[in-house]
Amino acid sequence: MLINDPNQEPCRLAPPEAFSNDLAPKELRRRLQPGRQPNQIEARSETVSRVFASRCAGDVKPPTAAELYHAMRQQEPNEREQSVLCSWVMDATVDDLWWAWSERAYSWRMLARAMHRAQLPWWEAYRYVNAHAERQEMVPDDAFPVV
């Protein structure tokens, strides 16, 4: 029996302008995970560090949370920064994408811009990110998550 997941079907990611450039509220992570270290946010994002440590362990020079933090903020990323962005887009789960946002590693707009640059066909992530668009009229009709 073949089971088709509509969230795996090709779709387009909304343009970066459809997303807010605001970072998560500072108190969000503290409220959601009160037992975590308060300084493991932004350039020290715990989620980003964990993803890179576990999924890029075999890399000659694994990316770091600080590198992702800075690469997300570049208008024209250099080769290393582009590699870090691609690693994040390729290796992070949709849950990781949200937790890293909640840790202020990037805004939804920064993430959308990075995903457009990477151009990886990760349709489920596109749909997930599209659901966070501030201007949902800019999201293609067939590009929202199917629940």
Side-chain angles (χ1 to χ4, degrees):
M1 175 187 211
L2 181 62
I3 299 175
N4 291 324
D5 180 353
N7 289 312
Q8 299 297 327
E9 294 292 322
C11 68
R12 289 178 293 142
L13 179 63
E17 302 76 39
F19 300 90
S20 169
N21 206 29
D22 294 338
L23 298 175
K26 285 188 175 189
E27 69 281 352
L28 179 63
R29 182 173 182 269
R30 187 175 36 80
R31 283 195 336 240
L32 294 173
Q33 298 179 321
R36 298 283 176 98
Q37 294 293 323
N39 66 339
Q40 291 182 313
I41 60 170
E42 298 171 352
R44 290 184 228 95
S45 165
E46 182 175 10
T47 299
V48 175
S49 295
R50 177 184 45 77
V51 168
F52 284 156
S54 66
R55 298 186 193 125
C56 300
D59 291 8
V60 172
K61 185 180 178 194
T64 66
E67 285 182 299
L68 180 71
Y69 181 85
H70 295 294
M72 284 286 186
R73 288 154 176 77
Q74 299 305 312
Q75 290 301 316
E76 296 295 327
N78 63 32
E79 188 176 335
R80 172 63 182 180
E81 292 164 339
Q82 184 61 32
S83 175
V84 170
L85 293 171
C86 284
S87 290
W88 178 251
V89 170
M90 188 169 39
D91 293 324
T93 66
V94 292
D95 287 342
D96 296 331
L97 297 177
W98 191 88
W99 283 110
W101 170 81
S102 77
E103 293 168 0
R104 302 171 57 85
Y106 47 73
S107 68
W108 291 112
R109 181 175 295 169
M110 290 176 206
L111 178 59
R113 189 172 50 237
M115 292 175 86
H116 276 285
R117 284 188 181 122
Q119 296 184 6
L120 297 171
W122 191 25
W123 317 124
E124 182 180 15
Y126 283 10
R127 291 175 194 285
Y128 178 78
V129 173
N130 281 339
H132 292 89
E134 184 175 62
R135 298 184 56 202
Q136 296 210 340
E137 71 275 7
M138 296 180 78
V139 177
D141 288 338
D142 65 343
F144 286 106
V146 178
V147 290

